[in-house]
Amino acid sequence: MSNNPLSEVKYSVLDLAVITEGNSAADAIENSRDLARHVEDWGYTRFWMAEHHNMENIASSATSVLLGHVAEATETLRIGSGGVMLPNHSPLVIAEHYGTLATLYPDRIDLGLGRAPGTDQKTAQAIRPDRMQQVRQFPQNVKQLQQYFSADNSSADVRAIPGEGTEVPLWILGSSTDSAHLAAALGLPYVFASHFSPQQLHAALQVYREEFQPSEQLDNPYVMPCINTVIADTDEQAEYLSTSLKQMFMGVVTGNRDPMPPPVDNMNTVWNMRERMAVEQMLKYTFVGNKETVKEELSSFVKKTNADEIMTATYIYDHDKRLKSHRLLSEIMSDQ
């Protein structure tokens, strides 16, 4: 076993096709595809994209369409949703979409499922007026998805074609102990949104591991917490680059959904104390610095969470610097 505990942990990417100031949605989508090609070469396991709606700074609303675009440009990387907000959709349609992807790209598609709206309440109402009823139906709808993907569904009146028999692996996404109970009861791998909602991370992981019931998909608990990383040659460079991330999350606090801005020299010229405290609370599990700094902090995080895999979101204004951050993380994880 390596002296570096990180070398035993898989590492993956969460991408939102973030639109940056001065660039278009088309630019963001092409940058996501380019990032996927690079991280495949750098040893990453998965490339997931997250469903969001009505946001000027995020182009990943039609998630399954983008995942097909990314899958076509890669060969071995697992492609998936991080996640599909299932109450927004019919389980049958999701089974057809992801079953089609799994038919085109066998053994490469993951389906992460969440129950949040992925947008504001007005937009959520526009997406699906009976959404709150579907939130309550979330556990049943997850089971329905499993049925559609199974070969056993071939005798049912309603079938997912393509999709049936693909056995697309499901993951439960969450940011509270509620999701942990469900993931454990269904015996599914568990992804925690600690990159923006860190408060219940350790409590949720404890619940999940203590209550886990083996399933056909998974024999033992499998945990993948999400984090943010911004890595550069020096701590100072990384801190500077991270101000775009901080401004983007400040927009979450203030309701500003403008494209992600370039970095600034001093965040105190941008935010007030209340905004700073809210953003820093959300970004508790954000790792910023050079390779040595991030390696030390990330090693501690992995030991405390006993993570099987980590998934990183990297919000950097300059695409080349974002690529470099991901490359440096791959070097940290592989102990280079």
Side-chain angles (χ1 to χ4, degrees):
M1 181 178 293
S2 168
N3 290 328
N4 177 13
L6 297 178
S7 66
E8 304 298 321
V9 177
K10 293 180 180 179
Y11 51 103
S12 295
V13 172
L14 176 65
D15 185 74
L16 307 185
V18 170
I19 302 169
T20 53
E21 190 176 293
N23 293 293
S24 66
D27 296 325
I29 291 168
E30 186 50 44
N31 285 343
S32 292
R33 183 172 154 114
D34 184 58
L35 174 61
R37 283 194 292 252
H38 279 86
V39 299
E40 180 172 64
D41 292 338
W42 295 331
Y44 284 73
T45 299
R46 300 170 216 282
F47 188 95
W48 284 9
M49 304 189 81
E51 176 187 343
H52 290 80
H53 301 279
N54 194 30
M55 295 187 181
E56 246 187 288
N57 53 4
I58 294 175
S60 58
S61 54
T63 316
S64 61
V65 177
L66 293 192
L67 293 176
H69 187 58
V70 170
E72 188 273 333
T74 52
E75 295 180 1
T76 59
L77 197 63
R78 293 198 65 88
I79 307 299
S81 63
V84 160
M85 300 298 105
L86 190 55
N88 292 345
H89 309 279
S90 153
L92 176 61
V93 172
I94 293 301
E96 291 171 338
H97 284 195
Y98 285 81
T100 299
L101 286 170
T103 301
L104 291 169
Y105 308 102
D107 300 318
R108 291 185 56 202
I109 303 302
D110 297 323
L111 180 51
L113 301 168
R115 68 180 106 194
T119 186
D120 59 274
Q121 290 303 319
K122 191 171 184 178
T123 306
Q125 180 72 10
I127 292 170
R128 189 162 190 175
D130 67 339
R131 189 184 176 281
M132 290 313 297
Q133 179 182 343
Q134 296 303 317
V135 169
R136 292 188 289 273
Q137 288 288 113
F138 182 69
Q140 291 83 359
N141 287 342
V142 173
K143 293 176 184 177
Q144 183 66 71
L145 261 178
Q146 288 179 310
Q147 182 64 30
Y148 285 138
F149 284 132
S150 73
D152 296 339
N153 203 54
S154 59
S155 60
D157 291 335
V158 179
R159 301 166 64 189
I161 310 291
E164 188 176 286
T166 55
E167 306 288 355
V168 172
L170 304 187
W171 298 63
I172 298 296
L173 281 61
S175 57
S176 70
T177 54
D178 289 347
S179 56
H181 290 295
L182 178 62
L186 297 179
L188 295 176
Y190 185 44
V191 187
F192 195 88
S194 37
H195 60 306
F196 70 85
S197 185
Q199 291 85 352
Q200 296 190 48
L201 170 64
H202 295 287
L205 297 189
Q206 182 176 352
V207 165
Y208 172 67
R209 290 186 172 117
E210 288 179 352
E211 297 184 5
F212 181 84
Q213 298 294 317
S215 67
E216 290 185 16
Q217 180 176 328
L218 195 63
D219 292 330
N220 298 295
Y222 193 95
V223 166
M224 181 165 65
C226 291
I227 59 172
N228 303 295
T229 54
V230 177
I231 311 171
D233 289 333
T234 68
D235 289 348
E236 292 74 20
Q237 289 173 352
E239 288 291 345
Y240 172 69
L241 295 176
S242 75
T243 59
S244 292
L245 160 71
K246 292 170 183 174
Q247 291 177 85
M248 185 173 169
F249 273 76
M250 192 177 86
V252 175
V253 175
T254 63
N256 180 355
R257 299 173 181 174
D258 290 344
M260 185 172 73
V264 295
D265 291 325
N266 184 357
M267 278 299 296
N268 289 330
T269 65
V270 178
W271 59 15
N272 60 38
M273 183 59 68
R274 182 189 66 84
E275 293 162 347
R276 175 178 179 172
M277 290 177 65
V279 170
E280 289 180 346
Q281 182 183 50
M282 295 172 73
L283 296 181
K284 179 178 180 179
Y285 296 119
T286 298
F287 302 90
V288 177
N290 63 25
K291 282 175 61 176
E292 291 72 23
T293 298
V294 171
K295 180 178 178 179
E296 181 178 350
E297 295 178 356
L298 195 51
S299 294
S300 175
F301 175 81
V302 166
K303 287 179 181 177
K304 288 177 181 177
T305 58
N306 195 23
D308 300 286
E309 187 171 343
I310 58 168
M311 178 162 275
T312 180
T314 298
Y315 305 98
I316 294 177
Y317 179 80
D318 183 276
H319 180 60
D320 288 336
K321 290 182 171 61
R322 180 164 69 134
L323 290 177
K324 182 174 182 177
S325 180
H326 279 290
R327 176 175 60 80
L328 293 175
L329 178 61
S330 75
E331 293 173 4
I332 291 170
M333 299 301 294
S334 56
D335 203 17
Q336 295 180 13

